[in-house]
């Protein structure tokens, strides 16, 4: 019988029997925010869940790890101009992460992986990791899905649109959703939208070292920043496989910490 990995499916006695100091605790986090006309609000959370499923299937069976329930809401103020977006304030997200991590620390866990599938959460998660490291003696690692994917060799192979404009609900995100939840993609509502406001800017960008505290409504009427019409399920399969492999390799290294 396969080991149960989801914390919600375990009993307290099973947790008590674990070597908590050697067990990695994953906290997945997504968002509830607009993704244009063609993708659902829970896209980032669905991606986080798909990665969790891949992790449970692909990590070394002897590796000790547990997975907490995915946090379905993150920090998304940049998308609040579009109906349905729900956003936590930075301080609220910090407190949520502190409460989760301090609870794990109280039970003896030492290694925590914050598995983030929404770019708007990244800076907050990095900040809290430094603080909780000192406060509770935890080893906290942040795995940022989108930054990890940007560092991989696969996007240039699969991606037809420009990487610098495929920021939100574009080719990559749509391709992955076509793979994991095709029934939720509104194929007839796809339309490309690129941030032309920054086309003539050389130094100030949406995501670069000199960036702008933007709202998606500043640069897109639909909330899309990218070219979803170039998305395919085949690309999504390659991208998801690449992500899971990179995360697997990183987690095996974390296990030796």
């Amino acid at each position: 019988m396969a080991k149960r990995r989801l914390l919600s499916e375990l009993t307290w006695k099973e947790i008590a029997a674990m070597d908590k100091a050697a067990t990695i605790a994953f906290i997945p986090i997504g968002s509830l925010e607009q993704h244009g006309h063609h993708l659902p609000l829970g896209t980032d959370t669905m991606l986080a869940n798909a990665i969790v499923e891949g992790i449970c299937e692909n990590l070394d069976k002897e590796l000790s790890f547990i997975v907490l329930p995915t946090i379905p809401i993150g920090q998304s103020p940049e998308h609040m101009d579009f109906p349905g977006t729900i956003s936590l304030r930075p301080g609220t997200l910090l407190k949520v992460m502190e409460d989760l991590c301090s609870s794990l620390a109280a039970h003896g866990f030492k290694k925590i992986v914050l598995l983030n599938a929404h770019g708007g959460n990244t800076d907050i998660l990095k900040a809290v990791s430094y603080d909780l490291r000192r406060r509770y003696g935890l080893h906290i690692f942040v795995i940022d899905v989108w930054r990890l994917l940007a560092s991989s060799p696969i996007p240039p192979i699969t991606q037809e649109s420009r990487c610098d404009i495929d920021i939100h609900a574009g080719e990559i995100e749509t391709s992955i959703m076509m793979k994991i939840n095709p029934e939720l993609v509104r194929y007839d509502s796809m339309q490309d939208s690129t941030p032309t406001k920054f086309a003539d800017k050389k130094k100030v960008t949406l995501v670069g070292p000199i960036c702008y505290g933007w709202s998606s409504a500043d640069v897109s009427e639909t909330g899309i920043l990218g070219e979803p019409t170039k998305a395919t399920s085949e690309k999504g399969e390659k991208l998801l496989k690449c992500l899971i492999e990179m995360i697997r390799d990183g987690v095996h290294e974390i296990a030796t910490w």
Side-chain angles (χ1 to χ4, degrees):
M1 180 183 296
K3 291 182 180 178
R4 288 188 173 90
R5 302 294 194 178
L6 302 183
L7 181 61
S8 59
E9 295 181 354
L10 297 168
T11 68
W12 72 261
K13 187 174 182 180
E14 290 166 334
I15 294 294
M18 288 181 176
D19 180 356
K20 268 81 71 181
T23 299
I24 299 172
F26 286 90
I27 303 178
I29 177 169
S31 71
L32 189 62
E33 63 183 29
Q34 72 85 17
H35 277 76
H37 298 165
H38 67 291
L39 294 181
L41 298 168
T43 290
D44 292 341
T45 299
M46 294 174 197
L47 172 58
N49 289 334
I51 291 172
V52 164
E53 184 177 340
I55 286 173
C56 291
E57 292 176 355
N58 289 275
L59 284 181
D60 189 327
K61 302 305 179 186
E62 300 307 312
L63 191 67
S64 181
F65 69 94
I66 59 168
V67 183
L68 275 69
T70 300
I71 301 171
I73 301 174
Q75 185 192 6
S76 304
E78 70 273 30
H79 299 297
M80 282 298 295
D81 288 313
F82 294 89
T85 298
I86 306 296
S87 180
L88 300 180
R89 286 176 291 180
T92 303
L93 183 55
L94 281 169
K95 288 295 186 182
V96 168
M97 299 314 299
E98 180 181 356
D99 287 351
L100 294 175
C101 291
S102 63
S103 293
L104 289 168
H107 299 309
F109 292 96
K110 294 294 184 183
K111 299 177 185 178
I112 299 175
V113 172
L114 309 182
L115 180 61
N116 177 41
H118 167 50
N121 297 330
T122 304
D123 291 338
I124 292 292
L125 297 182
K126 288 178 67 178
V128 79
S129 70
Y130 299 134
D131 184 53
L132 299 183
R133 168 74 182 94
R134 293 186 61 82
R135 192 177 305 181
Y136 298 100
L138 294 167
H139 297 294
I140 300 184
F141 304 84
V142 180
I143 296 179
D144 188 276
V145 168
W146 300 114
R147 291 189 181 184
L148 190 65
L149 194 57
S151 72
S152 78
I154 197 165
I157 297 173
T158 62
Q159 194 173 9
E160 295 179 57
S161 56
R162 284 169 42 196
C163 296
D164 61 329
I165 62 171
D166 192 33
I167 297 170
H168 187 71
E171 180 185 0
I172 288 179
E173 222 171 352
T174 303
S175 291
I176 294 175
M177 278 296 287
M178 285 180 173
K179 173 59 183 175
I180 64 176
N181 287 108
E183 72 283 0
L184 295 179
V185 178
R186 281 66 162 179
Y187 294 88
D188 294 339
S189 297
M190 286 186 192
Q191 54 182 299
D192 297 342
S193 177
T194 59
T196 53
K197 184 174 182 177
F198 284 80
D200 62 340
K201 302 297 188 293
K202 304 300 182 184
K203 299 297 183 182
V204 179
T205 67
L206 295 178
V207 295
I210 302 178
C211 58
Y212 169 55
W214 52 277
S215 166
S216 51
D218 291 336
V219 290
S220 173
E221 293 183 359
T222 62
I224 297 168
L225 296 171
E227 299 177 312
T229 61
K230 293 182 170 64
T232 69
S233 176
E234 291 73 22
K235 292 176 184 177
E237 182 174 12
K238 290 179 181 179
L239 290 163
L240 188 60
K241 181 180 179 182
C242 177
L243 268 173
I244 291 171
E245 288 177 352
M246 287 191 294
I247 292 171
R248 178 197 63 200
D249 293 344
V251 170
H252 284 157
E253 189 168 308
I254 288 170
T256 67
W257 208 263

